[in-house]
């Protein structure tokens, strides 16, 4: 079962592929909060995958930006996280 937290992680992974690192981290932070609140654990393969794309975000953002984005995600409630995930994002600047 994917659950909301799994869907948020999927949106986060999509965000990093679109070069939206802060958005990816916010979504991951929100997913982690919801996962913890529900007492759910991800499969090891899912955790490794998440660490891989969050690592890409860490290489893009400095520590202050990363921690701020994570905290913003952690502060979202379920409805806010879903609304944020569904917001349209502009194309990445190249």
């Amino acid at each position: 079962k994917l659950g909301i937290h799994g869907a948020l992680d999927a949106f986060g992974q999509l965000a990093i592929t679109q070069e939206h690192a802060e958005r990816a981290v916010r979504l991951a932070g929100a997913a982690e909060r919801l996962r913890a609140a529900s007492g759910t654990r991800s499969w090891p393969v899912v955790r490794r995958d998440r660490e891989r794309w969050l690592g890409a975000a860490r290489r893009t953002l400095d520590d202050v930006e990363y921690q701020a984005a994570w905290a913003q995600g952690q502060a979202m409630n379920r409805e806010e996280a879903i609304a944020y995930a569904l917001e349209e994002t502009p194309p990445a600047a190249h």
Side-chain angles (χ1 to χ4, degrees), residues 16 21 51-62 66:
I16 198 66
E51 288 303 315
R52 182 187 51 75
W53 60 262
L54 279 174
R58 278 195 182 277
R59 290 186 295 277
T60 302
L61 304 172
D62 65 34
Y66 187 94

Side-chain angles (χ1 to χ4, degrees), residues 2-92:
L2 184 61
I4 295 299
H5 45 78
L8 292 172
D9 277 336
F11 276 101
Q13 187 172 11
L14 177 62
I16 198 66
T17 64
Q18 295 175 335
E19 300 179 18
H20 293 286
E22 286 184 33
R23 180 176 179 77
V25 175
R26 281 188 204 104
L27 289 163
E32 187 59 32
R33 177 177 184 243
L34 294 174
R35 189 176 291 107
S38 70
T40 305
R41 289 186 43 98
S42 299
W43 289 86
V45 67
V46 173
R47 287 193 302 271
R48 283 190 301 272
D49 191 43
R50 183 173 46 249
E51 288 303 315
R52 182 187 51 75
W53 60 262
L54 279 174
R58 278 195 182 277
R59 290 186 295 277
T60 302
L61 304 172
D62 65 34
D63 194 50
V64 172
E65 292 169 324
Y66 187 94
Q67 294 302 323
W70 184 265
Q72 290 164 356
Q74 290 271 292
M76 291 181 196
N77 64 36
R78 181 178 184 204
E79 291 74 24
E80 291 168 333
I82 292 168
Y84 183 69
L86 296 176
E87 286 177 4
E88 188 172 339
T89 56

